[in-house]
Amino acid sequence: MLSPENYTLHACTKAGTGRLIRQSLAAGSFASVVMIPAGLAFKALGMRVGHYGPKVGAALFGDMAQPWMQMALLVQHFVIGWLSALPLLLYWQLQTGTTPRLRHGAVYGVAYYLLVNALVLPLLFGDPLPMQLGWLVVMPSLVVHLVFGLAIAWLAGVHEGRWLWGGGR
């Protein structure tokens, strides 16, 4: 668990690295599952969400027959979740006295969307930026990534046993 004492001392040790990996697997898995209902709701409304999962999957796995591609995309979804949870968890681990807060998760989720899904991936795939396509393209993925960041923060805070919005219990 994250401990406000000794963040900096243990962040780069073998024990700190192992703890960070376990936290990333737990928080990344949890957040990857929690974001799915929001994505499915937007998809049911006919909105664009999950646009880059299949594109990244096709680039990584090539032309794969079903159901193997669906399984590969599911594994990819979780691996990306684990890797995406790492920076926020590492921030908490390296910042002495900083404990997980929902506001950190919210900012992280929005920043992740803006940097990765609204900038880097469109540029990599030669797509227009979501902002060029309008709010109805931006909003679903932005909300899903906000949920992702909040879920990481919530689970990390629960593991800490701390009040998440600030202060203590």
Side-chain angles (χ1 to χ4, degrees):
M1 303 306 143
L2 294 174
S3 170
E5 305 82 41
N6 303 320
Y7 275 104
T8 313
L9 293 177
H10 294 295
C12 297
T13 65
K14 186 175 181 180
T17 301
R19 183 173 50 251
L20 182 65
I21 290 169
R22 286 189 305 277
Q23 290 169 338
S24 178
L25 292 173
S29 295
F30 177 71
S32 292
V33 169
V34 169
M35 70 192 297
I36 291 172
L40 291 175
F42 286 121
K43 184 96 51 191
L45 294 171
M47 301 176 94
R48 182 178 125 166
V49 68
H51 181 71
Y52 286 105
K55 284 189 168 199
V56 170
L60 290 175
F61 310 121
D63 190 21
M64 191 181 290
Q66 296 298 342
W68 304 112
M69 182 54 112
Q70 287 305 106
M71 287 192 276
L73 290 175
L74 181 63
V75 170
Q76 171 191 287
H77 178 75
F78 280 95
V79 170
I80 290 171
W82 301 331
L83 295 174
S84 298
L86 275 172
L88 186 56
L89 295 167
L90 184 61
Y91 166 77
W92 286 319
Q93 196 166 17
L94 292 175
Q95 297 299 313
T96 304
T98 301
T99 56
R101 301 282 188 246
L102 288 177
R103 66 178 174 264
H104 297 148
V107 169
Y108 182 74
V110 169
Y112 186 95
Y113 168 75
L114 292 172
L115 181 65
V116 176
N117 286 70
L119 184 62
V120 172
L121 289 173
L123 292 175
L124 276 175
F125 287 102
D127 293 340
L129 299 178
M131 289 70 109
Q132 296 171 316
L133 300 174
W135 176 245
L136 292 178
V137 171
V138 170
M139 190 262 303
S141 190
L142 178 61
V143 168
V144 167
H145 286 87
L146 176 64
V147 168
F148 181 82
L150 288 169
I152 294 169
W154 182 82
L155 190 66
V158 166
H159 280 253
E160 278 295 298
R162 302 196 188 292
W163 183 251
L164 301 174
W165 290 105
R169 278 196 222 193

